[in-house]
Amino acid sequence: MPAIPPADEKATMQAWIQIHACVVLWGFTAILGKLITLQALPLVLWRMGLVALSLFLLPMIWRTVLSLKPSLLLVYAAIGMLVALHWLTFYGAIKLSNASVAVTCIATVPVFLSLVEPVLAGRRFQLKELLLGLMVLPGIVLVVGGTPQSMNTGIIMGIVSAMFVALFAALNKRFILRADPLSVTAIEMASGCALLVVIGLIAASLNEAGNVAGILDTSTSIFAVPQGNDLLWLAVLAFGCTLLPFALSLMALRHLSAYASALAVNLEPIYAIILAALLLGEQQELSVRFYLGAAIIIAVVLVYPWLMRSPSRKVA
């Protein structure tokens, strides 16, 4: 009879399964972002709003939220605003380039996390993590060289989006044990909505100065109601690719470091690039250099478990 793994090992194994399930679901988000015709700001506002509304309809969520200390509520609200900024710049990157490029830029998250997680999550800095994260840089250089020049703005926005991921992932890791994942998700989604409304109203008041390519066009209301297929795609995005994986990822963070989970999430480009080629025909816009760069970035994910393994150190 095989030995039963210790409770900690079993929990860690379950966390890895949860985070990889999230990766599969998140692989569809870039594709949906390209299919939905709304610009980035109204798209993300609907995405976060639908999730927040569905959660706050549950009495247990209200009870938990009301029982939290005001200081903790403010922390989760601030993290939710970082999530909103990540999605805003991520979908902006998709609109300005394409789905394949945007998800590849997100793979730079480990570089930023290796620096910010030791500070924000209170764990020891590890040089190996920084060096491993830096291994993605040659891949990024190839990605930039393998895309049309018109996509450069989208690449920059994608890397900025990765910075926001590093910040909210490290903060979520630090504070996730203080409340249940669904309540945290509800708070973060609601606060993200509030920030987006403020950004949209300010941008709209600036008239032409409020035009930000890919994010908001002043000729379009931030409260634009989705029409036709956008309704279906938004529902899939909000519930199948946001609510479910977001809650699962917060559960997984109880047993994995933010850095380890971020490297697992770097597998997302594999799914997104394949789906983008099959469903959107994006392979026609990209050169061999792009795919070589993406391969280097993704290879870092496979190197991490081997490099970080030691007899006296747990995987997480």
Side-chain angles (χ1 to χ4, degrees):
M1 178 181 294
I4 299 175
D8 286 350
E9 268 186 46
K10 188 175 180 181
T12 299
M13 188 182 304
Q14 186 176 14
W16 277 113
I17 294 172
Q18 289 168 338
I19 203 68
H20 281 288
C22 294
V23 173
V24 174
L25 294 171
W26 280 329
F28 288 92
T29 60
I31 307 303
L32 292 170
K34 195 71 173 179
L35 292 174
I36 296 170
T37 60
L38 293 175
Q39 288 202 312
L41 198 149
L43 188 160
V44 178
L45 183 60
W46 276 100
R47 180 184 186 179
M48 300 187 86
L50 287 171
V51 174
L53 179 63
S54 62
L55 286 174
F56 276 113
L57 289 175
L58 302 175
M60 60 176 246
I61 299 296
W62 275 108
R63 286 195 293 269
T64 304
V65 170
L66 292 174
S67 68
L68 294 175
K69 294 180 180 178
S71 58
L72 195 54
L73 281 173
L74 288 174
V75 168
Y76 290 137
I79 295 172
M81 293 179 186
L82 291 173
V83 174
L85 291 173
H86 154 57
W87 280 337
L88 190 61
T89 49
F90 176 65
Y91 287 110
I94 291 174
K95 304 295 183 182
L96 292 170
S97 54
N98 62 32
S100 301
V101 170
V103 295
T104 301
C105 290
I106 295 300
T108 60
V109 170
V111 179
F112 301 114
L113 261 176
S114 64
L115 297 172
V116 303
E117 188 182 7
V119 177
L120 297 180
R123 71 174 179 84
R124 186 168 56 89
F125 171 78
Q126 296 194 43
L127 181 60
K128 283 195 293 186
E129 288 187 348
L130 176 60
L131 295 176
L132 187 59
L134 290 174
M135 286 173 60
V136 306
L137 295 184
I140 291 296
V141 171
L142 287 169
V143 164
V144 173
T147 56
Q149 191 172 359
S150 60
M151 292 186 180
N152 286 352
T153 305
I155 292 171
I156 293 171
M157 193 170 290
I159 293 173
V160 170
S161 184
M163 293 172 60
F164 286 125
V165 175
L167 290 171
F168 81 71
L171 288 169
N172 266 335
K173 171 62 181 177
R174 179 172 180 176
F175 293 100
I176 188 54
L177 293 175
R178 305 187 188 185
D180 72 277
L182 283 180
S183 297
V184 172
T185 302
I187 297 167
E188 293 183 357
M189 295 296 107
S191 65
C193 278
L195 177 65
L196 292 173
V197 169
V198 172
I199 291 174
L201 292 175
I202 292 174
S205 70
L206 296 176
N207 296 323
E208 289 305 315
N211 260 326
V212 181
I215 291 181
L216 181 67
D217 183 342
T218 50
S219 65
T220 305
S221 170
I222 60 170
F223 304 110
V225 178
Q227 304 291 330
N229 288 336
D230 280 356
L231 286 169
L232 172 62
W233 297 136
L234 273 170
V236 173
L237 179 63
F239 301 110
C241 299
T242 304
L243 178 56
L244 177 58
F246 203 86
L248 279 175
S249 67
L250 290 177
M251 291 170 63
L253 276 174
R254 294 171 181 263
H255 305 285
L256 299 176
S257 71
Y259 185 89
S261 63
L263 277 173
V265 171
N266 274 357
L267 291 171
E268 181 184 337
I270 295 178
Y271 303 106
I273 290 171
I274 292 172
L275 289 169
L278 293 175
L279 302 177
L280 305 176
E282 287 188 357
Q283 74 278 7
Q284 298 173 12
E285 303 175 298
L286 305 170
S287 71
V288 173
R289 290 181 67 184
F290 168 83
Y291 289 103
L292 179 58
I296 292 172
I297 293 169
I298 293 166
V300 174
V301 181
L302 305 178
V303 171
Y304 172 77
W306 173 80
L307 186 63
M308 300 304 292
R309 187 185 304 146
S310 69
S312 58
R313 188 177 184 271
K314 294 181 182 178
V315 175

